[in-house]
């Protein structure tokens, strides 16, 4: 069986890609899938911080690409989930250290080791690392904030996914594209400060696979080295759980997209 490759990508930085990669990979593992998550952001390396394994990095993605270490040596097993593994990026190497052949070798190795899913945490934009992260993808989760500049930049990414992947070059079924809206605030949408789910879907011509509400829990979880999906009490964690379920083919209604209705006491006392 071949592993399903999911790239998490966006047109601009700071929209929540690494947070999303960590939560999607963790959610897939929680659903019983053997999952690896790879940090393609060579030179920066944030994924291992959010996954809480930064002190356990000995060998990284670039070491494997260049044959300086094996996959087995380089994959870090998650402490919370037995079937979840992290492959960290290098902080000391240049982006040019990544090669298409090297990436293919790593992905094939993960397939041979029985992985069900590989989540590729892409750098922002359209440079080499981002292109290599999406090249072998079967699915793409395009992370967008509900603002015009983020949506416009994502439109370029959708164009690349349609034309610059291995599937496109071979004339195969296109990469399955999913739109994920992050930092969504229904109250700000209601007063016109943010684009609505419908606005973003219409501009990009794609349906959303999830809507992640604006939440302080995301930053708290990241700072503690815990993917927010593990926090089942947080709205963002619940929204990521819904997103993973939809990616796995389950139908779930969208939550957290409307302004919460005031309860009786709030209406009476103006709370």
């Amino acid at each position: 069986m071949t592993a399903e490759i999911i790239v998490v990508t966006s047109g601009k930085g700071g929209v929540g890609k690494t947070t999303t990669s960590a939560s999607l990979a963790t959610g897939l593992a929680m659903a019983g899938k053997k999952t690896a998550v790879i940090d393609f952001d060579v030179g920066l390396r944030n994924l291992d911080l959010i996954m809480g394994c930064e002190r356990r990095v000995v060998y990284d993605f670039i070491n494997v690409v260049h044959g300086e270490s094996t996959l087995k040596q380089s994959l870090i097993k998650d402490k919370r989930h037995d079937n979840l593994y992290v492959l960290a990026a290098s902080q000391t190497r240049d982006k040019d250290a990544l090669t298409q052949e090297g990436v293919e070798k790593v992905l094939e190795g993960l397939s041979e080791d029985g992985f069900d899913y590989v989540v590729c945490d892409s750098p922002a934009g359209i440079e080499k690392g981002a292109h290599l992260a999406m090249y072998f993808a079967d699915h793409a989760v395009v992370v967008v904030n509900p603002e015009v500049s983020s949506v416009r930049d994502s439109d370029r990414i959708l164009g690349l996914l349609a034309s610059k992947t291995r599937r496109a070059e071979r004339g195969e079924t296109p990469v399955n594209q999913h739109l994920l809206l992050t930092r969504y605030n229904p109250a700000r949408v209601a007063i016109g400060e943010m684009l609505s789910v419908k606005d973003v879907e219409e501009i990009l011509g794609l349906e959303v696979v999830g809507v992640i509400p604006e939440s302080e829990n995301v930053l708290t979880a990241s700072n503690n080295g815990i993917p927010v999906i593990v926090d089942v009490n947080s709205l963002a964690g619940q929204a990521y759980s819904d997103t993973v379920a939809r990616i796995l083919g389950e139908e779930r209604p969208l939550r957290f997209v409307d302004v919460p209705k005031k309860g009786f006491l709030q209406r009476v006392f103006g709370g």
Side-chain angles (χ1 to χ4, degrees), residues 206-220:
L206 270 184
E207 283 188 17
V208 298
V209 72
V211 176
I212 314 300
E214 203 167 38
S215 167
E216 288 176 10
N217 297 94
V218 174
L219 185 59
T220 305

Side-chain angles (χ1 to χ4, degrees), residues 117-132:
Y117 284 91
V118 179
V119 177
C120 302
D121 181 24
S122 170
I126 55 174
E127 42 91 352
K128 186 178 181 182
H131 175 255
L132 288 173

